């Protein structure tokens, strides 16, 4: 089953442990045997995890996938919340990218090739240190 859906065996054990899939039957040898119906659930889980949904979000989506009396707007709400979180993370990553780009440019333009302790990146990361003229050198 693990090979068919593209999971490691340990992932199946984990999803069983956290209740995303039902407990497997055991052969005399101790090997787990899952019913074929679990394959569709595992494929849904794989897609959810590939898209970064949390275990709890995945659990709710799995539950929705078998609850015909519930409305699909519940699935949309989960996806919408996750989309908002992804967009927030992307904005954070763009800010991080801009900061790192400034550090790399400062090094390239001001100190590349010099002694490492004098590197703009390292000195900017250092705590504020009073300079001989009384000014403070800080990360600004």
């Amino acid at each position: 089953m693990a090979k068919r859906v593209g999971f490691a065996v340990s992932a199946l054990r984990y999803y069983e442990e956290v209740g995303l899939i039902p407990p497997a039957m055991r052969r005399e040898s101790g090997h787990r045997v899952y019913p074929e119906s679990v394959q569709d659930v595992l494929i849904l889980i794989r897609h959810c995890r590939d898209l970064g949904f949390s275990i709890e979000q995945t659990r709710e989506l799995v539950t929705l996938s078998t609850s015909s009396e519930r409305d699909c707007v519940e699935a949309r709400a989960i996806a919408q919340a996750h989309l908002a979180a992804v967009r927030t993370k992307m904005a954070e990553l763009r800010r991080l990218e801009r900061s790192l780009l400034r550090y790399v440019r400062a090094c390239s333009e001001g100190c590349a090739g010099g002694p490492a302790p004098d590197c703009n990146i390292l000195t900017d990361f250092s705590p504020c240190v009073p300079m001989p003229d009384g000014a403070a050198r800080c990360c600004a």
Side-chain angles (χ1 to χ4, degrees):
M1 180 70 70
K3 282 183 183 178
R4 279 188 283 176
V5 296
F7 277 130
V9 173
S10 59
L12 263 66
R13 282 189 229 125
Y14 173 72
Y15 294 135
E16 182 180 329
E17 182 182 311
V18 299
L20 285 177
I21 59 174
M25 303 290 288
R26 297 286 186 139
R27 291 190 177 144
E28 286 184 25
S29 64
H31 287 90
R32 288 175 167 84
V33 179
Y34 295 96
E36 287 299 313
S37 60
V38 170
Q39 182 172 325
D40 291 339
V41 174
L42 288 169
I43 290 169
L44 174 60
I45 292 169
R46 189 185 71 229
H47 287 300
C48 289
R49 301 302 287 154
D50 287 348
L51 291 170
F53 285 98
S54 70
I55 290 295
E56 286 309 313
Q57 290 169 322
T58 300
R59 180 185 321 282
E60 190 60 26
L61 291 168
V62 166
T63 300
L64 286 167
S65 75
T66 60
S67 300
S68 57
E69 65 277 353
R70 292 175 68 185
D71 196 306
C72 75
V73 295
E74 293 180 63
R76 185 185 64 197
I78 293 167
Q80 186 70 43
H82 185 55
L83 176 61
V86 166
R87 287 178 171 160
T88 298
K89 185 67 172 175
M90 288 173 64
E92 291 170 6
L93 289 171
R94 282 190 291 275
R95 286 191 297 275
L96 176 62
E97 177 187 32
R98 286 190 299 271
S99 293
L100 288 169
L101 181 60
R102 280 192 299 273
Y103 283 119
V104 169
R105 282 185 179 156
C107 179
S108 294
E109 295 168 2
C111 62
D118 296 335
C119 178
N120 290 337
I121 295 170
L122 299 174
T123 57
D124 282 352
F125 288 174
S126 299
C128 293
V129 178
M131 301 302 283
D133 63 0
R137 183 187 81 218
C138 291
C139 305

